[in-house]
Amino acid sequence: MPKSNGRIDGEQFQELMYQALETEIGGQEVYKAAIGCAQNKELKEDCQKDLKETENHERILRSTFERIGLDAEIDTPGRSVLRAKAEALVQSMKAALQDGGPIAAQLVAAECVVEAETKDHQNWELIGELAEALDGEKAKALREAFEEVEEEEDQHLYHTMGWARELWMETLGLPAVLPPPEEEKMVTTAIGAARAKQSRKEML
Ligand SMILES: [Fe+2]
Ligand SMILES: [Fe+2]
């Protein structure tokens, strides 16, 4: 792969880094609310584990910011959009708990985590792409952060997608695999998630 140092848009690179940080910060609030909505014991434990990892991702990004000379306190329009989105997810879980009851709130919580993790996952995928395309110290800092976080982000997304689907199946009265096959098979790739989903019938 050719290095494309000269063609990376520096402003957009910074924007991605700020959005990645804000996603991890907001993600912690989403997880705290989701833990409050989780009825299934394993789902609750899973959310607690993912919350701890998300806290660690914030720490990793803050030290990456120091290494590449970015001020973590600078706000951007993109950051404030993400802040509002995280608040909306938290509010929707609170509303579901109040108006829809615990089972509905658990479903809403699983879907809120999928939404938050979809953005988180994409941020890190892009950070991985940048680490490949850049050279020198910046690339090294990004690569080290990416290697620490990548697999956890894969799990956060694919496992929660599995939870949301199986919890819906259960409420519909359809056979459900709980915990979901993605979780049981420790899926970390999109292909693995597709395979786990295919094998769910055998797991019933
Ligand atoms: Fe994360
Ligand atoms: Fe995540």
Side-chain angles (χ1 to χ4, degrees), residues 104-122:
Q106 177 172 252
L107 282 182
V108 170
E111 291 185 344
C112 284
V113 174
V114 171
E115 284 184 40
E117 288 295 352
T118 300
K119 172 69 174 160
D120 200 15
H121 187 263
Q122 177 174 273

Side-chain angles (χ1 to χ4, degrees), residues 44-54 155-156:
K44 198 184 275 273
E45 286 167 4
D46 210 28
C47 286
Q48 281 158 344
K49 175 178 105 8
D50 293 351
L51 170 60
K52 287 224 167 63
E53 290 174 358
T54 304
Q155 292 183 8
H156 290 179

Side-chain angles (χ1 to χ4, degrees), residues 24 57 120 124 153:
E24 300 292 5
H57 297 174
D120 200 15
W124 281 100
E153 293 302 4

Side-chain angles (χ1 to χ4, degrees), residues 13-72:
F13 164 73
Q14 292 194 3
E15 181 60 29
L16 173 69
M17 297 309 290
Y18 284 123
Q19 288 197 18
L21 180 62
E22 195 61 48
T23 304
E24 300 292 5
I25 294 169
Q28 292 165 45
E29 299 312 310
V30 172
Y31 272 116
K32 284 177 201 159
I35 289 164
C37 293
Q39 302 292 314
N40 180 295
K41 188 173 149 279
E42 278 121 336
L43 174 63
K44 198 184 275 273
E45 286 167 4
D46 210 28
C47 286
Q48 281 158 344
K49 175 178 105 8
D50 293 351
L51 170 60
K52 287 224 167 63
E53 290 174 358
T54 304
E55 289 165 356
N56 190 41
H57 297 174
E58 182 190 344
R59 277 193 291 275
I60 289 168
L61 274 178
R62 285 186 184 279
S63 71
T64 307
F65 273 46
E66 275 179 33
R67 285 178 68 180
I68 65 177
L70 270 186
D71 179 358

